[in-house]
Amino acid sequence: MEPHNESAYADYVEQSWPSLVRAAVFLGARPDEAEDLAQTTLVRCYTGWDRVSSADNRDAYVYRMLLNCLRDTRRTRWWKDRQYDDQAALDRPATDHGGSDAAERVAIADAVHRALGGLTKPNRDVVVLRYFVQLSEKQTAEALGVPPGTVKSRLSRALAHLAANDHLLDIAGDAK
């Protein structure tokens, strides 16, 4: 890679890392897996930096790569075995190492993750890319390879589902 491209890539990595990790978490990965996914995505960006940097919509292109990395990971036998371990961990009682603020943050994060887990995969992808990553409707459509109208209809269904979700209603009731 040429030095000016190397510098542009390094700047992009520094700027996009937190957003990629956060998006991977909201797409269903655990924090350590989210970092691995973000790293794999950025390695793929490095090897194809000419394509990435010349893309009409770089963010949509990179989030599409992140989604593909996540799908690749979930196809493996290892992931299927891991899901059972994760469910057992969720069933164990959590220990509180912080004060009530930390417990409240954990409860809210848990409620959001459970609510997002209740969505279908396509609807969760749309919600995460649109609201957590803050891509535009057009960018979200490009990242998912669907028409913008599909993004709008999936968002509508997903938001209606989330509005009626018991986990979110519980924390909304606590906040009043």
Side-chain angles (χ1 to χ4, degrees), residues 77-145:
R77 171 86 178 148
W78 173 86
W79 171 254
K80 291 174 186 167
D81 291 341
R82 188 66 183 235
Q83 285 181 309
Y84 297 112
D85 294 341
D86 289 347
Q87 187 58 46
L90 285 174
D91 293 340
R92 285 192 299 266
T95 57
D96 184 15
H97 297 290
S100 63
D101 290 339
E104 186 176 334
R105 284 193 307 270
V106 168
I108 291 170
D110 181 59
V112 169
H113 282 281
R114 287 178 184 267
L116 288 173
L119 296 174
T120 64
K121 178 78 170 114
N123 288 352
R124 183 175 56 229
D125 291 350
V126 168
V127 169
V128 169
L129 292 177
R130 183 71 179 98
Y131 292 112
F132 292 100
V133 177
Q134 297 181 344
L135 295 181
S136 69
E137 285 177 358
K138 180 181 177 188
Q139 290 173 317
T140 302
E142 288 178 19
L144 296 172

Side-chain angles (χ1 to χ4, degrees), residues 20-34:
L20 287 169
V21 172
R22 186 173 45 251
V25 167
F26 283 114
L27 289 168
R30 290 192 334 250
D32 58 321
E33 293 168 331

Side-chain angles (χ1 to χ4, degrees), residues 24-74:
V25 167
F26 283 114
L27 289 168
R30 290 192 334 250
D32 58 321
E33 293 168 331
E35 289 181 357
D36 289 345
L37 287 167
Q39 186 173 21
T40 301
T41 300
L42 291 171
V43 166
R44 289 182 183 180
C45 285
Y46 182 82
T47 60
W49 184 246
D50 291 336
R51 287 188 312 275
V52 172
S53 62
S54 66
D56 290 337
N57 191 333
R58 181 170 52 189
D59 288 335
Y61 190 88
V62 171
Y63 282 101
R64 176 68 172 220
M65 293 171 78
L66 177 70
L67 287 167
N68 289 339
C69 288
L70 179 63
R71 288 182 187 122
D72 291 348
T73 302
R74 301 288 162 92

